[in-house]
Amino acid sequence: MTARLDARPKRFSSENLVSMLGKQAKVLYPPAIALLIFLVIWQALTSLPSATLPSPIQTVEETWELIINPFFDNGGNDKGLFWQVLTSLQRVALGYTLAAIAGIGLGILIGTSTFMFRALDPIFQVLRTVPPLAWLPISLAAFQQANPSAIFVIFITAIWPIIINTAEGVRQIPQDYNNVAKVLRLSRTEYFFKILMPATVPYIFTGLKIGIGLSWLAIVAAEMLIGGVGIGFFIWDAWNSSRISDIIIAIIYVGLVGLLLDWLVSQIARFVVPEEQKQG
Amino acid sequence: MSVFVEVDHVDRIFSMPNGNSYVALRNIELKIRKGEFVTLIGHSGCGKSTLLNIVAGLDQPTHGGVILEGRQVKEPGPDRMVVFQNYSLLPWLSVRENISLAVNRVMNKLPQGERRSIVEHHIDMVGLRHAADKRPGQLSGGMKQRVAIARALAIRPKLLLLDEPFGALDALTRGGLQEQLMKICEESHVTCIMVTHDVDEALLLSDRIVMLTNGPEAHVGQIIDVPFPRPRSRMDVVNHPNYYSLRSEIVYFLNQQKRAKKLKVQHATAIARNGLEKVNLELGFIPLTDCAPMIVAKEKGFFQKHGLEEVTLSREPSWKAIAEGVATKRLDAAAMVAGMPLGMTLGMNGKPPTPVITALTLSRNGNAITLSKRLFDQGVRTLADFKAAIARTPDKVPTLGVVHPSSMHNLMLRYWLAAGGIDPDRDVSLTVIPPAQMVSNLKAGNIDGYCAGEPWNSRAVHEGLGFVIATDLDIWQGHCEKVLGVREDWANQYPQTHLALVKALLEACEYCDDRRNRQEILDLLCQPEYVGSEAVYTRPGFIDSYNRGDGTAPQMDLHYNQFYVNKTNCPDHVEGLWILTQMARWGITSFPRNWIEILERVRRIDVFGQAARELGLQDMGRDRHPIYLFDGTVFNPDDPIQYLKDLPIKRETRIEEISLDELVGARS
């Protein structure tokens, strides 16, 4: 064996840091500049005498309290943004988890059985086009309570992409793998864990990713209607109290949380999906 | 050995979306012995993989079934493990996990430790120790296929099914893997069925090669036995005397199939004209000096004269191809070796009987036995010397080439050897090689001699590779050599055409025996589309005196190639009977107790007589007299069975009543 004399471990030097920052800068500059331009235009437009919306500076000034202290809790609906978002997230978590369990199960069912596929697919195709809020009145009628109704709306919104993608994944399992399973006479359990799940997992996660986005879309709308604590009702409440700046800050929160959720599911997918099965 | 796998009359019919059905496989029948390596070969889309999937149980036949060790295959199972074309490894499992999945499932009765050692053993067997924990995505194609083979072998299948296993690999990897597979199969005695379209791969690995015809309605066109001894190495196989003839036979079959696809539309349209039922004929010949009558009939306008206006001569690679071509109706007629019509009619070597008749003998004599220069240097000059030379080297059995089992070359070489006390199956080894390949095989040292027609003996003499120890003039002066063969049903369907063909060729034969025409005929023969040989070694015997290459002075013999004189052309029965006794003697066919009926039916003196009369030729018939051979025995045509019994060296002979119509009826 030969060893290279100059092969020393790289030290963390200031030179390295500078070059690293330089690289990061290339990625960070464009969005920062775009954001700046956006804020300038916003500021310019809202500086006009006929402006109805607050300028960015005005927004920050008016909502400073909300921004610096998201954790206050004055009882009732008067809570910091953190608590508002958390309540919404709890609803989403419950509805979405139920949708994931039911959706993956139903997806595998219609994916493996041609009969079930023929029976159920047309129904699913019709139901998935129904807008989330259209379910709200019927779920209020059924549950008689606001909270379960909101969770149901999340559930029914998120489940369709999960079902459809899972089913597609099962149907797309290469015939070769099925042939291997047949020749080896794998048991149902072995087939499920060794072949069906690994082969379908990328499709399932595609469905889950679409599902989480849709649930977050639906929760804001649903909460506006059902009231109580939650980021959706917070927005509606702010509108009723003409606190336009609060609405703006809440929208930014909603956007960031949505992004975070999407990122979270992607991270789980990265962890769960087998190396060889990653798409794109 | 008994039948291990039986594919029993399998049909596979797919229903098409438009309501039609597509018959992919029709009446496939195949019996495979235990430990045998069988290859399915054919063009793309011929249903090879469908057949393999049916054996695997992944697909179900529409009719018929597959029987493995007496039990019908109804579903896939690990006793019939498949190595798929695209490996079919599970990409999320490592090499070890892929193999373990199979082993744990199939051998779940074994203790865990034992299963683990099986997995590790097979990882080592295919040399993938270093990659055992890698996933398929990190492996090359060849490595993946090795994993697939290890996975298949690890579960000890009774039958290993390989679907173009090396199709996607580069040549170098393929070669290495083929040898590895061969070694593994030999060590573990697995029965294998492999699908491929690589002819060399098939020859290297298989015991038998099953050639499928094109779909739709693909069926077994031909089965070739690959006689190479095991264990094999690539070089041994390539240098085996039969390698090129087998290879060319397979390539020929595949090319025929390709052509058949194109010809399907034009085929079977008989053009009737000039009072004949069919004037467009395809005639097969083998490049030899004595194919002269056919070439003369074509070039000198004898076919034309008798109304056969569209005759095509098809140069065939081997006598087997001639037999195949006539049997499959690809050829209307062919110049055949003398025993072929009788052999095909009786069904030689287990082939189904195809009634073929002959109404014309095209030539007599023209053969010789050539032995290698090496034997000459050992002092071999006579048959007795040859026997002594064989006795001197008991560890080395000389190999001699013949052109076809039913040819006079085979029958007379055997007779000659047996007369000298040499058993043609035990003291020497006889192998079938097409005439044109004899010289190259002799040169390569694959064979020690051969019996063939000209110009192939003179060529060996000319090139100093061998010497002629005997010509057929020394063995049986004036024996029949080439005959015109047509299927019996063809002759019945086109009787006037058949008659015209016999007449045209009879006149051509007469032309050939006029020695003033010989130079002209020689020029025709030497053309590349016919024999394509060089005049210098085509002349001896045909025009010039014959040089045996043994130091003796060349001798002039006017009867060396005899086409017309001395009543050459009548397909007489006594000769036919002698051929029947010899084919029975060596176990090529049974001896028919009803030989008179068989000879009447195959050797059509009536058609010949009519042709001769219509040409105004008189006194063409041959007398019924005993045959005197060189060893002093007399063949008495009145008691062939006694003659057969008295022969000293022979194989087990069967004598039975052969009812042709029953045989043929049972087939259709």
Side-chain angles (χ1 to χ4, degrees), chain A residues 176-180 182-187 190 193-196 198-199 274-277, chain B residues 58 75-78 80-82 84 86 88-92 101-102 105-106 135 151 155:
Chain A
D176 296 327
Y177 302 162
N178 288 332
N179 282 343
V180 169
K182 281 190 209 164
V183 171
L184 294 177
R185 292 207 185 125
L186 293 185
S187 67
E190 274 172 312
F193 286 110
K194 297 284 184 187
I195 290 178
L196 190 141
E275 191 67 31
E276 280 70 26
Q277 284 290 96
Chain B
L58 292 167
E75 51 175 0
R80 281 156 286 120
M81 186 62 192
V82 189
F84 298 93
N86 39 13
S88 292
L89 301 175
L90 301 179
W92 44 85
L101 175 69
R105 174 62 201 158
V106 176
R135 292 195 170 163
R151 176 176 67 179
I155 58 172

Side-chain angles (χ1 to χ4, degrees), chain B residues 142-305:
Chain B
M143 289 162 89
K144 280 191 253 192
Q145 194 56 282
R146 267 143 72 185
V147 180
I149 290 171
R151 176 176 67 179
L153 288 169
I155 58 172
R156 291 263 162 271
K158 291 177 184 165
L159 183 60
L160 185 63
L161 304 168
L162 304 124
D163 190 358
E164 297 194 24
F166 311 125
L169 306 178
D170 64 279
L172 203 62
T173 317
R174 198 187 307 151
L177 273 188
Q178 284 164 349
E179 280 177 14
Q180 221 167 2
L181 174 69
M182 190 158 58
K183 202 170 126 251
I184 292 167
C185 287
E186 274 160 17
E187 279 166 6
S188 41
H189 307 288
V190 205
T191 312
C192 291
I193 305 179
M194 179 176 77
V195 164
T196 185
H197 45 230
D198 181 335
V199 176
D200 296 299
E201 177 173 289
L203 279 170
L204 176 66
L205 297 173
S206 328
D207 296 310
R208 276 194 299 160
I209 300 175
V210 177
M211 294 184 263
L212 294 178
T213 61
N214 289 336
E217 308 214 11
H219 53 272
V220 177
Q222 196 180 340
I223 298 181
I224 286 190
D225 286 308
V226 183
F228 310 146
R230 288 186 189 274
R232 293 177 185 170
S233 83
R234 191 178 299 274
M235 285 321 286
D236 289 350
V237 166
V238 173
N239 288 329
H240 193 275
N242 282 1
Y243 182 78
Y244 282 100
S245 65
L246 288 175
R247 191 178 191 283
S248 69
E249 205 169 313
I250 300 168
V251 170
Y252 177 75
F253 175 89
L254 294 174
N255 285 341
Q256 284 302 328
Q257 289 302 314
K258 208 184 277 174
R259 228 192 298 170
K261 218 175 217 171
K262 286 187 206 146
L263 283 176
K264 217 153 221 179
V265 196
Q266 341 168 348
H267 195 63
T269 45
I271 304 171
R273 210 183 290 154
N274 310 329
L276 302 177
E277 304 91 345
K278 191 173 193 286
V279 299
N280 54 326
L281 301 182
E282 178 108 3
L283 308 182
F285 74 97
I286 296 286
L288 287 162
T289 305
D290 53 18
C291 70
M294 268 200 178
I295 293 163
V296 165
K298 164 96 175 151
E299 294 286 335
K300 301 302 292 177
F302 291 111
F303 288 136
Q304 197 82 21
K305 176 181 166 193

Side-chain angles (χ1 to χ4, degrees), chain A:
Chain A
M1 251 182 56
T2 57
R4 281 173 54 202
L5 292 173
D6 58 348
R8 277 169 298 190
K10 276 194 179 168
R11 292 217 192 108
F12 188 81
S13 67
S14 57
E15 281 168 40
N16 280 344
L17 187 68
V18 168
S19 76
M20 208 172 74
L21 283 177
K23 273 179 202 154
Q24 291 286 319
K26 278 186 191 151
V27 184
L28 289 178
Y29 277 140
I33 293 167
L35 189 66
L36 199 71
I37 293 172
F38 173 75
L39 290 173
V40 168
I41 294 172
W42 181 9
Q43 183 71 40
L45 286 174
T46 47
S47 307
L48 296 173
S50 59
T52 48
L53 291 178
S55 70
I57 297 167
Q58 196 189 343
T59 305
V60 173
E61 278 168 8
E62 285 177 15
T63 58
W64 188 246
E65 202 57 26
L66 280 172
I67 295 169
I68 56 158
N69 189 7
F71 299 109
F72 71 88
D73 186 351
N74 299 336
N77 284 350
D78 193 8
K79 292 181 178 174
L81 276 173
F82 173 80
W83 303 112
Q84 304 282 0
V85 168
L86 188 69
T87 315
S88 299
L89 279 176
Q90 279 169 348
R91 291 194 179 114
V92 167
L94 192 56
Y96 179 73
T97 308
L98 290 174
I101 294 167
I104 292 171
L106 276 170
I108 289 172
L109 181 71
I110 67 170
T112 45
S113 153
T114 313
F115 175 79
M116 294 308 277
F117 179 78
R118 286 187 186 144
L120 297 178
D121 191 58
I123 303 175
F124 292 164
Q125 293 300 336
V126 171
L127 292 184
R128 83 184 171 95
T129 60
V130 177
L133 281 187
W135 292 103
L136 193 61
I138 197 127
S139 58
L140 275 171
F143 294 105
Q144 303 286 336
Q145 279 175 29
N147 206 35
S149 305
I151 292 165
F152 177 77
V153 169
I154 300 304
F155 171 81
I156 207 78
T157 308
I159 196 168
W160 308 119
I162 300 175
I163 293 181
I164 288 162
N165 279 285
T166 306
E168 186 60 17
V170 174
R171 290 156 66 81
Q172 291 293 326
I173 296 176
Q175 190 56 38
D176 296 327
Y177 302 162
N178 288 332
N179 282 343
V180 169
K182 281 190 209 164
V183 171
L184 294 177
R185 292 207 185 125
L186 293 185
S187 67
R188 283 188 160 272
T189 346
E190 274 172 312
Y191 177 72
F192 186 83
F193 286 110
K194 297 284 184 187
I195 290 178
L196 190 141
M197 279 315 280
T200 318
V201 134
Y203 290 86
I204 293 179
F205 270 92
T206 308
L208 289 177
K209 242 176 114 169
I210 300 172
I212 196 76
L214 287 179
S215 350
W216 194 241
L217 289 182
I219 190 66
V220 175
E223 281 175 349
M224 285 184 182
L225 297 180
I226 58 171
V229 183
I231 192 74
F233 186 71
F234 176 87
I235 294 173
W236 191 243
D237 193 41
W239 157 248
N240 284 334
S241 328
S242 300
R243 286 183 275 121
I244 306 299
S245 300
D246 286 10
I247 298 178
I248 292 170
I249 211 72
I251 285 173
I252 293 168
Y253 259 80
V254 168
L256 290 176
V257 171
L259 191 69
L260 195 75
L261 287 176
D262 195 73
W263 177 81
L264 200 68
V265 175
S266 301
Q267 286 308 302
I268 298 172
R270 243 178 80 177
F271 190 68
V272 174
V273 177
E275 191 67 31
E276 280 70 26
Q277 284 290 96
K278 290 212 176 103
Q279 293 169 328

